[in-house]
Amino acid sequence: MKVLLIEDERKIADFVTAGFREQGFVVEHCADGNLGYEVARRGGHDVILLDIMLPGRDGLSILKALRRAGDATPVLLLTARNELDDRVEGLNLGADDYLAKPFFFEELLARVQALLRRVSGERQNFLIVGDLRLDRIAREVTWCGKAVDLTSREFNLIEYLMRAPGRVLTRTQILEHVWGYDFDPSTNVVDVCIQRIRKKLASLEGETAGDSPIESVRGVGYRFRKPV
């Protein structure tokens, strides 16, 4: 499990880092908000421990930007005891939990473990690739934090592509999986459906179809662009 700790107080950062490493976690530490945000946006963390008062970008600003970008990584806020308004705002912005300073490491560890248990049960219901987030249960898709209105067929197609980012899927594979029965290989239903999805994504950001996360592979099929 990988923890991202964004905390500028050295003593707190040192004892939290040491504690989690003793428990077998990998810990990445950032001491200011600007660097912390950039590292968080790269992804790959199982949980983020985020101080609210930071040099550079503050914790609530980081949280807000991550959630707007569709990043669902669990976030636990580290706060001062008198920051009630900040705690409430943080929870409203999408924080999963908070812990007031000073705190015992044992309580922080227990809260993180509880978050990870909950997320492990929920994660299978979500697909997140870059700025696109898909909820299998609610059958909802967001692109750069904005809802995308998709038909059932469009939803199933984009889910199929998102399951294997970077992998080229042929039109025949897509037809068999999404439409569920044999089609004439010369049919263009896949291409038409892809174009509709691209237009819907482009309309949200004023982008062109060329900026779509769905890439065409000439003569073969399509793939979902793998984030760099």
Side-chain angles (χ1 to χ4, degrees), residues 9 12 18 24 75 79 97 121 123 127 139 164 171 175 207 210 220 226:
E9 294 185 51
I12 293 177
V75 173
T79 75
D97 199 359
R123 187 167 287 165
L127 288 174
R139 293 187 67 81
R171 289 175 175 81
L175 280 170
E207 298 174 332
V220 182
K226 193 172 184 178

Side-chain angles (χ1 to χ4, degrees), residues 1 5 13 22 51 53 73 85 88 92 95 117 129 131 136 145 157 171 174 176 217:
M1 291 293 180
L5 172 63
E22 287 177 3
D51 186 22
M53 300 298 293
T73 304
D85 290 342
V88 171
N92 288 334
R117 285 195 300 270
V129 183
D131 292 323
R136 289 193 180 110
L157 195 159
R171 289 175 175 81
I174 296 171
E176 291 175 350
V217 181

Side-chain angles (χ1 to χ4, degrees), residues 71-86:
D71 190 326
T73 304
V75 173
L76 187 150
L77 295 175
L78 302 176
T79 75
R81 287 191 180 278
N82 60 354
E83 293 175 340
L84 176 59
D85 290 342
D86 285 343

Side-chain angles (χ1 to χ4, degrees), residues 48-197:
I48 299 173
L49 306 181
L50 179 60
D51 186 22
I52 289 181
M53 300 298 293
L54 292 165
R57 193 162 190 165
D58 69 88
L60 294 181
S61 171
I62 293 172
L63 174 62
K64 185 175 182 179
L66 290 175
R67 293 301 187 243
R68 279 187 171 177
D71 190 326
T73 304
V75 173
L76 187 150
L77 295 175
L78 302 176
T79 75
R81 287 191 180 278
N82 60 354
E83 293 175 340
L84 176 59
D85 290 342
D86 285 343
R87 295 200 299 268
V88 171
E89 184 179 358
L91 292 171
N92 288 334
L93 287 173
D96 298 273
D97 199 359
Y98 70 86
L99 188 59
K101 301 175 184 178
F103 53 81
F104 291 102
F105 175 76
E106 291 77 9
E107 181 179 3
L108 175 61
L109 176 63
R111 287 176 179 269
V112 167
Q113 290 174 330
L115 276 179
L116 293 174
R117 285 195 300 270
R118 189 187 80 198
V119 170
S120 65
E122 295 175 348
R123 187 167 287 165
Q124 60 186 337
N125 298 326
F126 294 92
L127 288 174
I128 301 174
V129 183
D131 292 323
L132 198 70
R133 183 176 187 271
L134 182 146
D135 184 336
R136 289 193 180 110
I137 300 302
R139 293 187 67 81
E140 295 175 344
V141 172
T142 58
W143 168 244
C144 298
K146 298 178 181 180
V148 186
D149 184 18
L150 299 177
T151 66
S152 179
R153 191 85 71 189
E154 291 164 353
F155 180 93
N156 292 341
L157 195 159
I158 204 166
E159 178 186 3
Y160 184 46
L161 294 175
M162 288 179 71
R163 286 181 178 178
R167 176 187 169 192
V168 179
L169 297 170
T170 68
R171 289 175 175 81
T172 299
Q173 288 175 310
I174 296 171
L175 280 170
E176 291 175 350
H177 183 88
V178 178
W179 275 262
Y181 54 91
D182 292 334
F183 264 83
D184 180 345
S186 64
T187 182
N188 69 341
V189 293
V190 173
D191 304 290
V192 171
C193 195
I194 291 286
Q195 283 301 107
R196 288 201 306 263
I197 294 172

